[in-house]
Amino acid sequence: MTCKECLEQLSPYIDNELSLSKSRELKIHLMSCETCHEEYILLKTIVDHMGSWDEIHLPNSFHNDLMSQVKKESATKKTYPWVHIGASLAAVLLIYFGFMLNPYFKTNKTKPAQPMPAVQTVNEIENEIENTAKPSTYARMASEPPMQEAFTIEIWKVNAQDQNALTQFLYDSKELYNYSLQEDSVTRNKYILTFSSDSDKQKLSKALESISESFTVVESLDSLEIELIIQ
Amino acid sequence: MESHIEQKLIKRAQKGQVEAFEKLIILYEKQIYAICLKMLHKEQDAYDASQEVCLKIWRQLPHFKGDSKLSTWIYRVATNQCLDILRKHKNKTEVSIYQTHSETNEEWLIDLPSTEKSIEEMIGDQELSFIINAALSELKPEQKEIIILRDIMGCRYDEISKILGLTEGTVKSRLSRSRLALKKILLQNKEPFKSYFRHIKQKEGIL
């Protein structure tokens, strides 16, 4: 095992996440290499002293504060259930009559129509399609989510050196992955990429990760966002 | 998988039963607060953020489909909330490791004598944890997040991969990079960590 390999494996070794054979190999290397052993002790010291969540004390008022807020929200929901029912009914009726008056609903042409979020209306459209037995824009509408989702990648903290290379890469890959790029006017170093599909977003994020060791591709917890941080 | 009782509580809470939600959240509120405190560092910020996280869990629980563990989903909501806060405050002043101790008002940037005894006296385990946690605050949010999940919350790699929506390979490499970044911060003339480490090395017979 080389020192480089050893240093790469130290972190999973400390976490006991290496295979038995890898772990044995690393142990042998640590016994013979002073530099790597020193590195190991350092990392182990840091990990061991990170502390644990159960040592943290939850402030006394936390639970009561939370529950009084939850009860307040719950009470608001319960007090006026008729408002919700009434509003839903009104929405369904409005959308239904809106559709009846919409010329595209009647003529079933291929012109794009506004997406209609109500389930009832989508069912109506499906019935209509079955009757006419012709593929149309409505078929697409009925099977797709009513709102088009935005698939984005966010790129932050691009330093001047990497900016040119990155811009070139993004420019080159634009044809391949089908996205639009806009430079944020507030923070000049932030890019927002909007994709037309999730698979394109995934592919580009992988490509970004592979082009440089100094890039950290950070997938935000919101699965549609990815950050790229350049160290 | 959740215990049978937890699953029942989830179902009842999803129907809007406050009592069921209370029993459920009591199991997780301390962990939520711990994540927020370690991510945001200030108690008041952590308090507000974890209240918001718990309320989000209450509001969004009806949409929880049970295809991941409840804890995975909760950690995800908590780390997401903190990342949002940190992004909003991105351009504000960074916390420095060069701080005065909250209780003793003592400067950390001190010239330590190199004798073993005094180092041990001055830097006990607790103080060392304090220094490491102060350095943690200087990491990038996503580095901080993964270290907290692994080293403080004790999540396994496969759990972190589900929480953050990353492959296990990415978890492994990001965690490794994040720890190295933390080490770098600690070694950049950050006393008393340097002295402490020198002492550890002497004990281990490296020097």
Side-chain angles (χ1 to χ4, degrees):
Chain A
M1 181 177 271
T2 63
C3 288
K4 189 175 178 279
E5 282 169 342
C6 171
L7 295 179
E8 279 167 4
Q9 304 293 333
L10 273 183
S11 171
Y13 173 71
I14 288 169
D15 293 332
N16 220 0
E17 295 266 356
L18 279 189
S19 69
L20 205 65
S21 61
K22 272 267 174 220
S23 165
R24 204 172 289 154
E25 220 180 304
L26 195 134
K27 263 184 209 164
I28 293 168
H29 180 85
L30 285 184
M31 283 195 287
S32 61
C33 176
E34 205 171 274
T35 321
C36 289
H37 188 235
E38 186 180 322
E39 196 70 19
Y40 164 71
I41 299 291
L42 225 171
L43 276 183
K44 185 87 171 74
T45 310
I46 295 170
V47 171
D48 287 349
H49 285 82
M50 200 68 76
S52 166
W53 66 271
D54 52 16
E55 292 160 8
I56 290 168
H57 300 289
L58 187 71
N60 288 338
S61 59
F62 188 92
H63 184 76
N64 290 342
D65 279 358
L66 170 70
M67 289 320 294
S68 65
Q69 190 61 32
V70 169
K71 281 169 191 160
K72 212 155 71 182
E73 286 192 12
S74 170
T76 324
K77 266 189 193 170
K78 279 177 188 164
T79 319
Y80 309 109
W82 55 268
V83 172
H84 298 285
I85 297 165
S88 311
L89 269 173
V92 167
L93 285 172
L94 263 174
I95 291 163
Y96 182 78
F97 285 113
F99 249 94
M100 295 308 285
L101 293 170
N102 188 330
Y104 300 132
F105 182 77
K106 288 285 182 199
T107 53
N108 206 13
K109 292 272 177 358
T110 50
K111 278 191 179 179
Q114 288 300 309
M116 294 296 161
V119 175
Q120 288 87 341
T121 320
V122 171
N123 289 339
E124 294 277 358
I125 298 164
E126 280 171 340
N127 291 337
E128 183 79 3
I129 291 156
E130 274 173 27
N131 293 338
T132 54
K134 272 183 182 174
S136 72
T137 318
Y138 294 119
R140 195 168 51 79
M141 277 177 54
S143 59
E144 278 179 9
M147 298 287 285
Q148 198 194 347
E149 287 176 292
F151 298 91
T152 61
I153 288 185
E154 290 192 13
I155 301 171
W156 302 58
K157 284 189 179 172
V158 183
N159 61 34
Q161 265 179 317
D162 293 311
Q163 202 161 5
N164 289 342
L166 184 74
T167 311
Q168 186 62 39
F169 173 80
L170 292 174
Y171 181 80
D172 292 344
S173 60
K174 209 168 172 184
E175 291 289 303
L176 285 170
Y177 302 112
N178 194 20
Y179 63 83
S180 61
L181 165 69
Q182 77 176 84
E183 196 171 340
D184 193 319
S185 54
V186 189
T187 48
R188 286 174 59 86
N189 285 344
K190 181 177 153 191
Y191 295 83
I192 297 172
L193 277 63
T194 308
F195 290 81
S196 51
S197 83
D198 189 42
S199 70
D200 274 356
K201 188 205 70 176
Q202 299 289 351
K203 278 180 209 158
L204 185 67
S205 73
K206 278 207 183 98
L208 282 169
E209 202 166 18
S210 65
I211 58 168
S212 170
E213 268 296 292
S214 61
F215 292 174
T216 314
V217 177
V218 182
E219 287 191 47
S220 153
L221 298 172
D222 175 345
S223 62
L224 300 179
E225 279 184 11
I226 290 178
E227 277 181 40
L228 179 76
I229 290 167
I230 295 174
Q231 317 247 348
Chain B
M1 282 307 282
E2 285 91 17
S3 70
H4 186 57
I5 298 171
E6 190 167 285
Q7 279 180 355
K8 271 191 166 177
L9 287 174
I10 294 171
K11 276 186 185 154
R12 282 168 51 200
Q14 283 178 323
K15 286 176 191 159
Q17 287 187 25
V18 176
E19 300 75 18
F21 173 75
E22 184 165 16
K23 282 179 187 156
L24 212 51
I25 203 69
I26 224 158
L27 301 169
Y28 293 102
E29 57 192 8
K30 194 174 165 187
Q31 297 169 51
I32 294 167
Y33 179 72
I35 291 176
C36 294
L37 186 62
K38 293 287 179 181
M39 286 287 284
L40 305 172
H41 305 284
K42 288 181 186 158
E43 285 179 4
Q44 189 56 50
D45 291 349
Y47 192 95
D48 295 343
S50 19
Q51 285 278 329
E52 190 51 39
V53 169
C54 293
L55 284 171
K56 273 189 181 165
I57 290 163
W58 161 246
R59 290 174 201 141
Q60 290 172 14
L61 200 59
H63 306 293
F64 173 69
K65 292 187 185 96
D67 39 17
S68 66
K69 275 165 74 180
L70 182 70
S71 59
T72 305
W73 181 65
I74 287 178
Y75 286 1
R76 198 182 169 112
V77 177
T79 47
N80 216 0
Q81 177 78 15
C82 294
L83 285 179
D84 281 350
I85 294 170
L86 289 170
R87 278 180 195 139
K88 277 176 199 157
H89 296 281
K90 211 167 193 167
N91 298 324
K92 293 194 176 170
T93 328
E94 299 262 323
V95 183
S96 170
I97 193 174
Y98 294 89
Q99 293 180 33
T100 49
H101 194 288
S102 56
E103 284 165 20
T104 58
N105 222 24
E106 196 183 311
E107 283 277 349
W108 279 117
L109 202 68
I110 41 175
D111 195 17
L112 289 164
S114 60
T115 62
E116 203 169 291
K117 196 182 168 195
S118 62
I119 287 170
E120 277 186 331
E121 271 174 11
M122 296 186 82
I123 322 162
D125 278 357
Q126 227 179 331
E127 282 80 1
L128 186 63
S129 294
F130 176 83
I131 298 158
I132 290 173
N133 277 289
L136 194 66
S137 73
E138 295 190 30
L139 282 181
K140 290 173 186 140
E142 73 284 353
Q143 295 178 327
K144 209 186 304 184
E145 168 190 68
I146 201 161
I147 288 187
I148 290 168
L149 287 172
R150 170 63 213 168
D151 295 334
I152 293 163
M153 306 312 292
C155 297
R156 295 191 313 267
Y157 283 21
D158 58 331
E159 290 172 326
I160 299 173
S161 122
K162 280 176 196 146
I163 295 166
L164 300 181
L166 303 169
T167 63
E168 279 190 46
T170 310
V171 169
K172 197 188 273 186
S173 57
R174 188 182 298 174
L175 187 61
S176 181
R177 277 204 296 263
S178 305
R179 281 173 172 163
L180 292 178
L182 184 64
K183 183 202 75 179
K184 203 171 159 193
I185 292 170
L186 284 162
L187 288 183
Q188 276 167 353
N189 299 318
K190 308 291 185 184
E191 292 290 6
F193 181 81
K194 252 188 152 179
S195 304
Y196 185 87
F197 182 58
R198 204 159 50 225
H199 158 68
I200 298 262
K201 283 197 291 189
Q202 277 165 354
K203 249 170 77 175
E204 294 280 333
I206 296 166
L207 287 180

